[in-house]
Amino acid sequence: MILAVMQPTYIPWLGYFDLINSADQFLFLDDVKLEKSDWHVRNKIKGNQGEIMLSQVVSTPNGRMGSVICDTEFKEKHPWRKKHLKSIEMNYRKAPFFNSIFGVIQQYFLNECNNLADFNIGLTQVFLKSLEIQTSVNRSSKLPKIAGVKDERLANFCDFFKSDKYLSPRGASAYIERHSPGGLLAKSGVEVFYQQFEHPKYYQCYPPFVSHLGVVDALMNLGADQTKQLIESGHKQPLHYSELYTSN
């Protein structure tokens, strides 16, 4: 069984959904430190002037270093949701699939969820449903206490889910491979693979094409069915950890 693990993201990009779609079990890693300047709380859409960053507004009474994703709340009474909806509406109202996609997003945004992890995980699951990606998902904060840090904890997650394969974003190789090939995952008998996703081009309302936007952009321009096909077209055979060394 293939396990993949990632921190929850606000309006994830296409590669995030490729990672989920490539796994049998996906785990939202939501009991780790919040990075306010990271994709935990922000992502990009596109307007006629180019990229637009949408940032959620959270409260960190204990400071950024003392904040954990699953315990983080939005700043009370801040109108960021209405602002984001307005920005999405203004920039995509001429998109081919605006009418079918915007209503779904609007309905979700107007719920009263005030927890960052709950909101972003729930929003991602709305997108998963639209894309008909049926991978089983869980949250690390809802599991029994799983000890360890970095690759040690990943190995323990694999043991918990009885996973013999671990699929990782390529960027995580820096800490997985830091001491030995495949890290503690490989030492525990888990085969480690790295995601290979090549971002495809697609129709956007306003040229030139910009990649690595939040999935909303593709959904608005292509619709759910074609966005799913787009994600599948960018999927490439994952790289076995041993190939990191034979290819150098």
Side-chain angles (χ1 to χ4, degrees):
M1 187 180 78
I2 302 171
L3 173 68
V5 179
M6 273 289 288
Q7 296 159 3
T9 297
Y10 181 48
I11 314 179
W13 74 299
L14 297 179
Y16 195 103
F17 292 96
D18 171 66
L19 187 72
I20 298 176
N21 195 41
S22 301
D24 301 304
Q25 174 71 54
F26 182 81
L27 183 66
F28 290 102
L29 187 64
D30 65 336
D31 59 350
V32 294
K33 187 178 74 172
L34 169 71
E35 298 288 350
K36 285 185 67 177
S37 61
D38 208 333
W39 305 115
H40 299 168
V41 294
R42 64 178 187 168
N43 222 313
K44 297 179 290 185
I45 61 172
K46 189 172 186 287
N48 60 4
Q49 300 297 315
E51 297 177 3
I52 300 168
M53 184 69 76
L54 301 180
S55 298
Q56 297 170 300
V57 181
V58 296
S59 175
T60 54
N62 298 319
R64 182 178 62 82
M65 297 301 292
S67 300
V68 176
I69 295 173
C70 64
D71 296 330
T72 298
E73 302 290 313
F74 296 123
K75 190 172 182 179
E76 190 174 357
K77 297 182 180 180
H78 194 283
W80 68 265
R81 298 185 216 210
K82 291 183 179 179
K83 290 182 177 180
H84 288 195
L85 282 174
K86 184 176 180 180
S87 185
I88 292 169
E89 182 178 15
M90 288 179 60
N91 289 287
Y92 290 106
R93 59 190 171 193
K94 295 182 180 179
F97 291 87
F98 173 80
N99 290 333
S100 60
I101 301 299
F102 183 73
V104 175
I105 296 172
Q106 183 181 48
Q107 182 179 11
Y108 183 81
F109 268 54
L110 295 179
N111 73 47
E112 296 182 358
C113 174
N114 202 46
N115 177 272
L116 174 67
D118 290 347
F119 185 93
N120 286 348
I121 290 171
L123 181 59
T124 299
Q125 289 177 304
V126 168
F127 294 139
L128 289 172
K129 183 178 180 180
S130 295
L131 295 167
E132 296 186 349
I133 294 175
Q134 299 179 352
T135 301
S136 177
V137 299
N138 275 279
R139 296 173 56 166
S140 58
S141 64
K142 303 299 183 182
L143 301 180
K145 181 68 175 178
I146 306 292
V149 295
K150 296 186 176 181
D151 55 333
E152 178 186 13
R153 195 175 190 211
L154 296 179
N156 290 336
F157 284 139
C158 287
D159 181 62
F160 179 84
F161 286 107
K162 310 300 181 189
S163 300
D164 57 353
K165 296 180 177 65
Y166 181 75
L167 178 62
S168 171
R170 184 67 180 266
S173 63
Y175 70 80
I176 291 177
E177 309 286 329
R178 71 192 189 283
H179 295 311
S180 61
L184 293 176
L185 284 156
K187 286 186 176 180
S188 67
V190 177
E191 285 191 272
V192 181
F193 295 87
Y194 292 102
Q195 179 190 26
Q196 305 293 302
F197 181 76
E198 295 182 7
H199 200 297
K201 288 187 176 181
Y202 57 90
Y203 167 81
Q204 292 175 332
C205 285
Y206 310 109
F209 177 76
V210 176
S211 68
H212 292 76
L213 301 172
V215 69
V216 164
D217 186 78
L219 287 169
M220 289 289 189
N221 287 302
L222 303 179
D225 291 344
Q226 289 187 63
T227 298
K228 174 73 174 298
Q229 294 172 20
L230 187 74
I231 292 167
E232 292 172 344
S233 74
H235 177 81
K236 304 302 175 188
Q237 184 67 28
L239 186 73
H240 191 270
Y241 76 91
S242 61
E243 297 179 81
L244 291 175
Y245 306 95
T246 58
S247 61
N248 292 334

Short mmCIF file of all heavy atoms in Angstrom, two decimals, residues 36-82:
data_model
loop_
_atom_site.label_atom_id
_atom_site.label_comp_id
_atom_site.label_asym_id
_atom_site.label_seq_id
_atom_site.Cartn_x
_atom_site.Cartn_y
_atom_site.Cartn_z
N LYS A 36 3.52 30.89 8.68
CA LYS A 36 2.58 31.91 8.20
C LYS A 36 2.90 32.40 6.80
O LYS A 36 2.04 32.91 6.09
CB LYS A 36 2.54 33.09 9.17
CG LYS A 36 1.78 32.81 10.46
CD LYS A 36 1.68 34.04 11.32
CE LYS A 36 0.81 35.11 10.70
NZ LYS A 36 0.66 36.30 11.58
N SER A 37 4.17 32.28 6.39
CA SER A 37 4.55 32.75 5.07
C SER A 37 4.54 31.63 4.04
O SER A 37 4.99 31.81 2.91
CB SER A 37 5.93 33.39 5.12
OG SER A 37 6.91 32.45 5.55
N ASP A 38 4.06 30.46 4.43
CA ASP A 38 4.08 29.29 3.56
C ASP A 38 2.69 29.06 2.96
O ASP A 38 1.76 29.81 3.18
CB ASP A 38 4.53 28.06 4.37
CG ASP A 38 5.22 27.02 3.51
OD1 ASP A 38 4.92 26.97 2.30
OD2 ASP A 38 6.02 26.25 4.05
N TRP A 39 2.60 27.96 2.18
CA TRP A 39 1.34 27.63 1.52
C TRP A 39 0.29 27.12 2.50
O TRP A 39 -0.84 26.85 2.10
CB TRP A 39 1.60 26.60 0.41
CG TRP A 39 2.64 27.06 -0.55
CD1 TRP A 39 3.87 26.50 -0.76
CD2 TRP A 39 2.58 28.19 -1.43
NE1 TRP A 39 4.57 27.20 -1.70
CE2 TRP A 39 3.80 28.25 -2.14
CE3 TRP A 39 1.62 29.17 -1.69
CZ2 TRP A 39 4.09 29.24 -3.07
CZ3 TRP A 39 1.91 30.16 -2.62
CH2 TRP A 39 3.12 30.18 -3.30
N HIS A 40 0.63 27.01 3.77
CA HIS A 40 -0.36 26.66 4.79
C HIS A 40 -1.52 27.65 4.78
O HIS A 40 -2.66 27.28 5.09
CB HIS A 40 0.26 26.70 6.19
CG HIS A 40 1.39 25.74 6.39
ND1 HIS A 40 2.23 25.79 7.48
CD2 HIS A 40 1.83 24.71 5.63
CE1 HIS A 40 3.14 24.83 7.39
NE2 HIS A 40 2.91 24.17 6.27
N VAL A 41 -1.24 28.91 4.47
CA VAL A 41 -2.25 29.96 4.60
C VAL A 41 -2.40 30.81 3.34
O VAL A 41 -3.07 31.86 3.38
CB VAL A 41 -1.95 30.89 5.80
CG1 VAL A 41 -2.05 30.14 7.11
CG2 VAL A 41 -0.57 31.53 5.66
N ARG A 42 -1.81 30.42 2.24
CA ARG A 42 -1.91 31.27 1.05
C ARG A 42 -1.75 30.46 -0.23
O ARG A 42 -1.21 29.35 -0.22
CB ARG A 42 -0.84 32.37 1.08
CG ARG A 42 0.59 31.85 1.02
CD ARG A 42 1.58 32.98 1.00
NE ARG A 42 2.94 32.49 0.79
CZ ARG A 42 3.99 33.25 0.50
NH1 ARG A 42 3.83 34.57 0.39
NH2 ARG A 42 5.17 32.73 0.33
N ASN A 43 -2.23 31.03 -1.32
CA ASN A 43 -1.98 30.47 -2.64
C ASN A 43 -2.36 31.50 -3.69
O ASN A 43 -2.90 32.57 -3.37
CB ASN A 43 -2.72 29.15 -2.87
CG ASN A 43 -1.81 28.15 -3.58
OD1 ASN A 43 -1.15 28.48 -4.56
ND2 ASN A 43 -1.76 26.93 -3.06
N LYS A 44 -2.08 31.16 -4.96
CA LYS A 44 -2.22 32.13 -6.04
C LYS A 44 -3.35 31.78 -7.00
O LYS A 44 -3.60 30.61 -7.28
CB LYS A 44 -0.90 32.21 -6.83
CG LYS A 44 0.28 32.70 -6.02
CD LYS A 44 1.55 32.74 -6.85
CE LYS A 44 2.04 31.34 -7.18
NZ LYS A 44 3.34 31.36 -7.89
N ILE A 45 -4.01 32.82 -7.49
CA ILE A 45 -4.93 32.71 -8.60
C ILE A 45 -4.39 33.62 -9.71
O ILE A 45 -3.30 34.18 -9.58
CB ILE A 45 -6.37 33.07 -8.21
CG1 ILE A 45 -6.45 34.52 -7.71
CG2 ILE A 45 -6.89 32.10 -7.15
CD1 ILE A 45 -7.86 35.01 -7.50
N LYS A 46 -5.15 33.81 -10.79
CA LYS A 46 -4.65 34.60 -11.91
C LYS A 46 -5.71 35.59 -12.37
O LYS A 46 -6.88 35.24 -12.53
CB LYS A 46 -4.25 33.69 -13.06
CG LYS A 46 -3.53 34.39 -14.21
CD LYS A 46 -3.00 33.34 -15.20
CE LYS A 46 -2.14 33.98 -16.29
NZ LYS A 46 -2.96 34.72 -17.26
N GLY A 47 -5.27 36.81 -12.60
CA GLY A 47 -6.13 37.84 -13.17
C GLY A 47 -5.54 38.36 -14.46
O GLY A 47 -4.51 37.86 -14.94
N ASN A 48 -6.12 39.39 -15.02
CA ASN A 48 -5.63 39.91 -16.29
C ASN A 48 -4.29 40.64 -16.17
O ASN A 48 -3.65 40.93 -17.18
CB ASN A 48 -6.67 40.82 -16.96
CG ASN A 48 -7.03 42.01 -16.11
OD1 ASN A 48 -6.47 42.23 -15.04
ND2 ASN A 48 -7.98 42.80 -16.58
N GLN A 49 -3.87 40.90 -14.93
CA GLN A 49 -2.57 41.52 -14.71
C GLN A 49 -1.52 40.51 -14.22
O GLN A 49 -0.39 40.89 -13.92
CB GLN A 49 -2.69 42.65 -13.69
CG GLN A 49 -3.63 43.77 -14.11
CD GLN A 49 -3.17 44.48 -15.36
OE1 GLN A 49 -2.00 44.82 -15.50
NE2 GLN A 49 -4.09 44.70 -16.29
N GLY A 50 -1.90 39.26 -14.13
CA GLY A 50 -0.96 38.23 -13.69
C GLY A 50 -1.37 37.57 -12.38
O GLY A 50 -2.56 37.51 -12.05
N GLU A 51 -0.40 37.07 -11.63
CA GLU A 51 -0.66 36.33 -10.41
C GLU A 51 -1.23 37.22 -9.31
O GLU A 51 -0.86 38.39 -9.19
CB GLU A 51 0.63 35.70 -9.89
CG GLU A 51 1.23 34.67 -10.83
CD GLU A 51 2.55 34.12 -10.29
OE1 GLU A 51 2.93 34.50 -9.16
OE2 GLU A 51 3.19 33.32 -10.99
N ILE A 52 -2.14 36.64 -8.52
CA ILE A 52 -2.73 37.32 -7.37
C ILE A 52 -2.60 36.39 -6.17
O ILE A 52 -3.06 35.24 -6.21
CB ILE A 52 -4.21 37.65 -7.61
CG1 ILE A 52 -4.37 38.58 -8.82
CG2 ILE A 52 -4.83 38.28 -6.35
CD1 ILE A 52 -5.81 38.73 -9.28
N MET A 53 -1.96 36.86 -5.11
CA MET A 53 -1.80 36.04 -3.91
C MET A 53 -2.98 36.25 -2.97
O MET A 53 -3.33 37.38 -2.64
CB MET A 53 -0.50 36.42 -3.19
CG MET A 53 -0.20 35.55 -1.98
SD MET A 53 0.23 33.84 -2.42
CE MET A 53 1.92 34.08 -3.00
N LEU A 54 -3.59 35.14 -2.57
CA LEU A 54 -4.66 35.16 -1.58
C LEU A 54 -4.11 34.60 -0.27
O LEU A 54 -3.64 33.47 -0.23
CB LEU A 54 -5.85 34.32 -2.05
CG LEU A 54 -6.51 34.71 -3.38
CD1 LEU A 54 -7.67 33.75 -3.67
CD2 LEU A 54 -7.00 36.15 -3.36
N SER A 55 -4.18 35.40 0.79
CA SER A 55 -3.63 34.98 2.08
C SER A 55 -4.70 34.96 3.16
O SER A 55 -5.41 35.96 3.35
CB SER A 55 -2.49 35.90 2.51
OG SER A 55 -1.42 35.86 1.59
N GLN A 56 -4.83 33.85 3.84
CA GLN A 56 -5.74 33.77 4.97
C GLN A 56 -5.15 34.53 6.15
O GLN A 56 -3.93 34.67 6.28
CB GLN A 56 -5.96 32.31 5.35
CG GLN A 56 -6.63 31.48 4.26
CD GLN A 56 -6.59 30.01 4.57
OE1 GLN A 56 -5.52 29.41 4.72
NE2 GLN A 56 -7.75 29.39 4.65
N VAL A 57 -6.01 35.02 7.01
CA VAL A 57 -5.57 35.81 8.16
C VAL A 57 -5.83 35.01 9.44
O VAL A 57 -6.98 34.75 9.78
CB VAL A 57 -6.28 37.17 8.21
CG1 VAL A 57 -5.78 38.00 9.39
CG2 VAL A 57 -6.06 37.93 6.90
N VAL A 58 -4.75 34.62 10.11
CA VAL A 58 -4.87 33.77 11.29
C VAL A 58 -4.42 34.52 12.54
O VAL A 58 -3.70 35.51 12.47
CB VAL A 58 -4.05 32.48 11.14
CG1 VAL A 58 -4.60 31.64 9.99
CG2 VAL A 58 -2.57 32.78 10.91
N SER A 59 -4.84 34.00 13.66
CA SER A 59 -4.45 34.55 14.96
C SER A 59 -3.36 33.67 15.56
O SER A 59 -3.51 32.45 15.61
CB SER A 59 -5.67 34.59 15.89
OG SER A 59 -5.30 35.02 17.18
N THR A 60 -2.27 34.29 16.00
CA THR A 60 -1.17 33.54 16.61
C THR A 60 -0.80 34.17 17.95
O THR A 60 0.24 34.82 18.08
CB THR A 60 0.06 33.50 15.68
OG1 THR A 60 0.42 34.85 15.31
CG2 THR A 60 -0.22 32.71 14.42
N PRO A 61 -1.65 33.99 18.96
CA PRO A 61 -1.40 34.62 20.26
C PRO A 61 -0.12 34.15 20.93
O PRO A 61 0.44 34.87 21.77
CB PRO A 61 -2.63 34.23 21.08
CG PRO A 61 -3.18 33.00 20.41
CD PRO A 61 -2.88 33.20 18.95
N ASN A 62 0.36 32.95 20.56
CA ASN A 62 1.60 32.43 21.14
C ASN A 62 2.80 32.67 20.24
O ASN A 62 3.87 32.13 20.49
CB ASN A 62 1.46 30.94 21.42
CG ASN A 62 0.36 30.64 22.42
OD1 ASN A 62 0.21 31.34 23.42
ND2 ASN A 62 -0.42 29.60 22.16
N GLY A 63 2.60 33.48 19.19
CA GLY A 63 3.69 33.72 18.25
C GLY A 63 3.76 32.62 17.21
O GLY A 63 3.24 31.52 17.41
N ARG A 64 4.40 32.93 16.08
CA ARG A 64 4.46 31.96 14.99
C ARG A 64 5.14 30.67 15.43
O ARG A 64 4.70 29.57 15.07
CB ARG A 64 5.21 32.56 13.80
CG ARG A 64 5.29 31.65 12.60
CD ARG A 64 6.01 32.31 11.44
NE ARG A 64 7.38 32.64 11.75
CZ ARG A 64 8.39 31.76 11.69
NH1 ARG A 64 8.16 30.51 11.33
NH2 ARG A 64 9.63 32.13 11.98
N MET A 65 6.21 30.77 16.20
CA MET A 65 6.96 29.58 16.61
C MET A 65 6.16 28.69 17.55
O MET A 65 6.46 27.51 17.68
CB MET A 65 8.29 29.99 17.27
CG MET A 65 9.24 30.76 16.36
SD MET A 65 9.71 29.81 14.89
CE MET A 65 10.69 28.52 15.65
N GLY A 66 5.16 29.27 18.19
CA GLY A 66 4.36 28.48 19.12
C GLY A 66 3.03 28.02 18.55
O GLY A 66 2.18 27.53 19.30
N SER A 67 2.84 28.19 17.25
CA SER A 67 1.56 27.86 16.63
C SER A 67 1.62 26.54 15.88
O SER A 67 2.57 26.27 15.14
CB SER A 67 1.13 28.97 15.66
OG SER A 67 1.00 30.20 16.33
N VAL A 68 0.61 25.71 16.07
CA VAL A 68 0.48 24.43 15.39
C VAL A 68 -0.72 24.52 14.45
O VAL A 68 -1.74 25.12 14.81
CB VAL A 68 0.30 23.28 16.41
CG1 VAL A 68 0.07 21.94 15.71
CG2 VAL A 68 1.53 23.19 17.31
N ILE A 69 -0.60 23.93 13.27
CA ILE A 69 -1.64 24.10 12.25
C ILE A 69 -3.02 23.73 12.78
O ILE A 69 -3.98 24.48 12.63
CB ILE A 69 -1.31 23.26 11.00
CG1 ILE A 69 -0.02 23.77 10.34
CG2 ILE A 69 -2.46 23.30 10.00
CD1 ILE A 69 0.48 22.90 9.19
N CYS A 70 -3.13 22.56 13.40
CA CYS A 70 -4.46 22.08 13.82
C CYS A 70 -5.05 22.88 14.97
O CYS A 70 -6.26 22.78 15.23
CB CYS A 70 -4.40 20.60 14.18
SG CYS A 70 -3.35 20.21 15.59
N ASP A 71 -4.24 23.70 15.66
CA ASP A 71 -4.74 24.51 16.76
C ASP A 71 -4.92 25.98 16.38
O ASP A 71 -5.30 26.80 17.22
CB ASP A 71 -3.77 24.43 17.95
CG ASP A 71 -3.68 23.02 18.53
OD1 ASP A 71 -4.67 22.28 18.44
OD2 ASP A 71 -2.60 22.66 19.04
N THR A 72 -4.63 26.31 15.15
CA THR A 72 -4.66 27.72 14.72
C THR A 72 -6.06 28.14 14.30
O THR A 72 -6.73 27.44 13.54
CB THR A 72 -3.68 27.94 13.56
OG1 THR A 72 -2.34 27.64 14.01
CG2 THR A 72 -3.73 29.37 13.06
N GLU A 73 -6.48 29.29 14.78
CA GLU A 73 -7.79 29.85 14.46
C GLU A 73 -7.61 31.07 13.55
O GLU A 73 -6.57 31.73 13.57
CB GLU A 73 -8.53 30.26 15.72
CG GLU A 73 -8.74 29.13 16.73
CD GLU A 73 -9.74 28.11 16.25
OE1 GLU A 73 -10.82 28.50 15.78
OE2 GLU A 73 -9.44 26.91 16.34
N PHE A 74 -8.65 31.38 12.79
CA PHE A 74 -8.63 32.60 11.99
C PHE A 74 -8.84 33.82 12.88
O PHE A 74 -9.45 33.72 13.95
CB PHE A 74 -9.73 32.55 10.92
CG PHE A 74 -9.53 31.47 9.91
CD1 PHE A 74 -10.51 30.51 9.70
CD2 PHE A 74 -8.36 31.39 9.17
CE1 PHE A 74 -10.34 29.50 8.76
CE2 PHE A 74 -8.18 30.38 8.23
CZ PHE A 74 -9.17 29.44 8.02
N LYS A 75 -8.31 34.94 12.43
CA LYS A 75 -8.49 36.18 13.18
C LYS A 75 -9.96 36.53 13.22
O LYS A 75 -10.63 36.62 12.18
CB LYS A 75 -7.68 37.30 12.54
CG LYS A 75 -7.63 38.56 13.37
CD LYS A 75 -6.64 39.58 12.78
CE LYS A 75 -6.54 40.81 13.65
NZ LYS A 75 -5.57 41.79 13.07
N GLU A 76 -10.47 36.74 14.41
CA GLU A 76 -11.91 36.95 14.60
C GLU A 76 -12.42 38.17 13.84
O GLU A 76 -11.81 39.24 13.87
CB GLU A 76 -12.21 37.12 16.10
CG GLU A 76 -13.68 37.11 16.43
CD GLU A 76 -13.92 37.13 17.93
OE1 GLU A 76 -12.94 37.10 18.71
OE2 GLU A 76 -15.11 37.20 18.32
N LYS A 77 -13.51 37.97 13.13
CA LYS A 77 -14.23 39.01 12.39
C LYS A 77 -13.46 39.60 11.22
O LYS A 77 -13.91 40.59 10.61
CB LYS A 77 -14.67 40.14 13.35
CG LYS A 77 -15.65 39.67 14.42
CD LYS A 77 -16.09 40.83 15.30
CE LYS A 77 -17.08 40.36 16.37
NZ LYS A 77 -17.53 41.47 17.26
N HIS A 78 -12.31 39.03 10.87
CA HIS A 78 -11.59 39.55 9.71
C HIS A 78 -12.30 39.12 8.43
O HIS A 78 -12.68 37.95 8.29
CB HIS A 78 -10.14 39.05 9.70
CG HIS A 78 -9.27 39.80 8.75
ND1 HIS A 78 -9.30 39.58 7.39
CD2 HIS A 78 -8.35 40.77 8.95
CE1 HIS A 78 -8.44 40.39 6.80
NE2 HIS A 78 -7.84 41.12 7.72
N PRO A 79 -12.50 40.02 7.47
CA PRO A 79 -13.31 39.70 6.28
C PRO A 79 -12.52 39.05 5.13
O PRO A 79 -12.90 39.20 3.97
CB PRO A 79 -13.81 41.09 5.85
CG PRO A 79 -12.70 42.01 6.22
CD PRO A 79 -12.13 41.45 7.51
N TRP A 80 -11.45 38.29 5.43
CA TRP A 80 -10.63 37.74 4.34
C TRP A 80 -11.43 36.81 3.42
O TRP A 80 -11.19 36.76 2.21
CB TRP A 80 -9.40 37.02 4.91
CG TRP A 80 -9.69 35.75 5.67
CD1 TRP A 80 -9.83 35.64 7.02
CD2 TRP A 80 -9.86 34.45 5.13
NE1 TRP A 80 -10.11 34.34 7.35
CE2 TRP A 80 -10.11 33.58 6.22
CE3 TRP A 80 -9.83 33.91 3.85
CZ2 TRP A 80 -10.34 32.21 6.04
CZ3 TRP A 80 -10.06 32.56 3.67
CH2 TRP A 80 -10.31 31.71 4.76
N ARG A 81 -12.39 36.07 3.97
CA ARG A 81 -13.17 35.14 3.12
C ARG A 81 -13.96 35.91 2.07
O ARG A 81 -13.96 35.52 0.90
CB ARG A 81 -14.13 34.31 3.98
CG ARG A 81 -13.45 33.42 4.98
CD ARG A 81 -14.47 32.55 5.69
NE ARG A 81 -14.09 32.36 7.08
CZ ARG A 81 -14.39 31.28 7.78
NH1 ARG A 81 -15.07 30.30 7.23
NH2 ARG A 81 -14.02 31.18 9.04
N LYS A 82 -14.65 36.97 2.48
CA LYS A 82 -15.42 37.76 1.53
C LYS A 82 -14.51 38.40 0.49
O LYS A 82 -14.85 38.49 -0.69
CB LYS A 82 -16.24 38.82 2.27
CG LYS A 82 -17.37 38.23 3.11
CD LYS A 82 -18.20 39.33 3.77
CE LYS A 82 -19.34 38.71 4.58
NZ LYS A 82 -20.16 39.76 5.26
#
